[in-house]
C-alpha cells in the first residue's frame, strides 16, 4: 500500500520561506514514494479543520511546513491519536525543530526524516482540551507579546524590542499563586514558565534541563528583581546561565495550577489562555518523525 500523508503549509512563515521550503519538500516526499495531500488553510481555524479531517481519514502522518505556531496547530490535530507529526522547519524561532535536531535550513533533508519513518514518542502538556509542546510563559515575556501583538508598526524583531522597552517602564513583579502537585506557593515574580521542553522564543533556555519524555513538567520561577538586573539577566537565557541567579526557582511536577491577575499566558509562541490555568503532563501523547 502507498504511504499517504497530509502536508499543511503556512506559506508566509519565515517571511515567505514557508512557500519555498514547501515546494522543495513536496518534490522530495513524492520522489520518496509518498502520496501527499497538499493543504493550505485561509486562516488558522480552516487549517486546523483540514488537518483534523485528514487525521480522521487515517493518513499515516500530518506534516507541517512552518514555524512553531503551525507545529502548535498540528499538535492539536494529532495529539493522542497515534498519527505521527512531521516537521519541515520554516519559521524564525524553530524551537520545536531544535528539540528533535531537525535540519532548519534544508527542507530536503527534513523531508528525508519523514521518508525514513523513524518515530520518537514524547510527552505533551495539556490545559483543558488544548496541548502545547514547548513552553508556556506568563509574566513579563507574555506581557511583551501582548503589547507587541497590539502594535501595527514596526514589523519584525523591532516591534518586540520597542514593546520590551515600553513594558519595562511600567512593569512590576506580579503576585502569582501556584499549586505544584498539591503544594501551594504564593510569591511575587517577574515571570513563571511551564516547560514540556527546554526552550522557547528562538532558543531562550528558560526551562533548561526539561526532558520531553520524563512524564514531568518543569516549572521555572524568576522571583522579583530590579529592572537593571532583569535586563542583565535576560541574555543569560540563551545559554541557560540564568539558573545560577538567586531569584531562580525550579520545580518538577506532574501538574501545576497557575494564577495571577490580568495575565494572558503564551504557549508555543501563541496566545494561549488567560490565567488561571491548570496544566498536566500527558506522557507519550505525541509521535514525531525525528
Amino acid at each position: 500500500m502507498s504511504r499517504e500523508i497530509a502536508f499543511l503549509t503556512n506559506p508566509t512563515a519565515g517571511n515567505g520561506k514557508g512557500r519555498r521550503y514547501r515546494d522543495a519538500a513536496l518534490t522530495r516526499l513524492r520522489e520518496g514514494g509518498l502520496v501527499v495531500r497538499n493543504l493550505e488553510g485561509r486562516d488558522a481555524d480552516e487549517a486546523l479543520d483540514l488537518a483534523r479531517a485528514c487525521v480522521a481519514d487515517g493518513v499515516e502522518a500530518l506534516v507541517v511546513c512552518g514555524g512553531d505556531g503551525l507545529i502548535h496547530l498540528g499538535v492539536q490535530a494529532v495529539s493522542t491519536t497515534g498519527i505521527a507529526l512531521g516537521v519541515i522547519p520554516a519559521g524564525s524561532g524553530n524551537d520545536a525543530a531544535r528539540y528533535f535536531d531537525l535540519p532548519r535550513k534544508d527542507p530536503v533533508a527534513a523531508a528525508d526524516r519523514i521518508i525514513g519513518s523513524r518515530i520518537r514518542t514524547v510527552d505533551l502538556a495539556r490545559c483543558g482540551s488544548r496541548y502545547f509542546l514547548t513552553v508556556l510563559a506568563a509574566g513579563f515575556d507574555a506581557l511583551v507579546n501582548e503589547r507587541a501583538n497590539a502594535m501595527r508598526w514596526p514589523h519584525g524583531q523591532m516591534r518586540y524590542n520597542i514593546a520590551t522597552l515600553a513594558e519595562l517602564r511600567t512593569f512590576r513583579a506580579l503576585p502569582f499563586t501556584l499549586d505544584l502537585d498539591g503544594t501551594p506557593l504564593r510569591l511575587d515574580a517577574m515571570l513563571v514558565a511551564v516547560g514540556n521542553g527546554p526552550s522557547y522564543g528562538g532558543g531562550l533556555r528558560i526551562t533548561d534541563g526539561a526532558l520531553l519524555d520524563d512524564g514531568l513538567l518543569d516549572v521555572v520561577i524568576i522571583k522579583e528583581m530590579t529592572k537593571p538586573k532583569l535586563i542583565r539577566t535576560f541574555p543569560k537565557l540563551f545559554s541557560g546561565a540564568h539558573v545560577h541567579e538567586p531569584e531562580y526557582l525550579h520545580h518538577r511536577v506532574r501538574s501545576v495550577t497557575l494564577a495571577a491577575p490580568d495575565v494572558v499566558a503564551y504557549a508555543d509562541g501563541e496566545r494561549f489562555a488567560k490565567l488561571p490555568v491548570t496544566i498536566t503532563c500527558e506522557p507519550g501523547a505525541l509521535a514525531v518523525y525525528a
Side-chain angles (χ1 to χ4, degrees):
M1 294 180 61
S2 298
R3 297 174 58 195
E4 185 175 16
I5 65 171
F7 190 102
L8 179 65
T9 304
N10 175 4
T12 64
N15 293 319
K17 190 165 57 177
R19 181 177 288 105
R20 300 193 305 273
Y21 280 21
R22 173 196 60 193
D23 295 343
L26 273 174
T27 299
R28 180 70 188 106
L29 292 168
R30 287 170 171 154
E31 289 174 350
L34 275 68
V35 176
V36 182
R37 301 188 192 182
N38 189 20
L39 310 174
E40 182 181 320
R42 288 170 293 186
D43 54 32
D45 289 339
E46 184 181 57
L48 182 56
D49 287 343
L50 291 170
R52 283 177 166 157
C54 289
V55 169
D57 281 347
V59 293
E60 176 181 307
L62 171 66
V63 177
V64 294
C65 179
D68 288 327
L70 192 64
I71 294 171
H72 178 79
L73 185 150
V75 163
Q76 312 314 309
V78 302
S79 58
T80 74
T81 67
I83 302 295
L85 181 70
V87 177
I88 308 295
S92 54
N94 291 325
D95 283 282
R98 288 183 174 89
Y99 288 5
F100 302 103
D101 195 27
L102 296 176
R104 301 196 298 275
K105 296 183 180 180
D106 188 343
V108 173
D112 283 338
R113 297 284 186 94
I114 296 157
I115 294 168
S117 299
R118 189 180 72 175
I119 296 288
R120 182 179 174 190
T121 301
V122 300
D123 306 336
L124 288 173
R126 180 176 64 83
C127 177
S129 61
R130 292 185 68 184
Y131 295 82
F132 65 89
L133 174 62
T134 62
V135 176
L136 177 141
F140 178 74
D141 46 358
L143 291 171
V144 169
N145 264 304
E146 280 285 276
R147 185 182 287 269
N149 288 345
M151 296 166 58
R152 296 186 178 182
W153 181 92
H155 299 289
Q157 185 61 44
M158 185 56 67
R159 175 185 297 180
Y160 291 91
N161 294 342
I162 293 173
T164 298
L165 292 173
E167 196 61 45
L168 273 172
R169 290 186 304 172
T170 58
F171 184 76
R172 297 290 186 272
L174 299 170
F176 283 95
T177 301
L178 297 92
D179 183 290
L180 302 160
D181 280 344
T183 300
L185 178 64
R186 294 176 181 269
L187 77 174
D188 291 344
M190 311 305 278
L191 64 90
V192 177
V194 180
N196 183 54
S199 69
Y200 71 152
L204 295 171
R205 300 187 66 82
I206 182 66
T207 46
D208 194 50
L211 301 175
L212 289 171
D213 53 5
D214 63 354
L216 297 171
L217 302 169
D218 287 58
V219 180
V220 166
I221 302 165
I222 305 297
K223 295 188 295 182
E224 187 171 9
M225 61 174 59
T226 66
K227 290 179 183 178
K229 184 165 186 181
L230 178 62
I231 294 169
R232 293 195 305 270
T233 301
F234 189 79
K236 295 182 180 181
L237 294 175
F238 284 103
S239 65
H242 65 293
V243 303
H244 302 296
E245 298 297 327
E247 294 88 356
Y248 166 88
L249 297 177
H250 184 193
H251 301 268
R252 285 195 170 99
V253 299
R254 289 180 172 82
S255 176
V256 56
T257 297
L258 175 62
D262 302 319
V263 173
V264 174
Y266 277 68
D268 294 339
E270 299 294 299
R271 199 176 198 269
F272 193 75
K274 186 174 181 179
L275 301 189
V277 294
T278 297
I279 305 159
T280 58
C281 183
E282 298 295 317
L286 180 67
V288 182
Y289 285 130

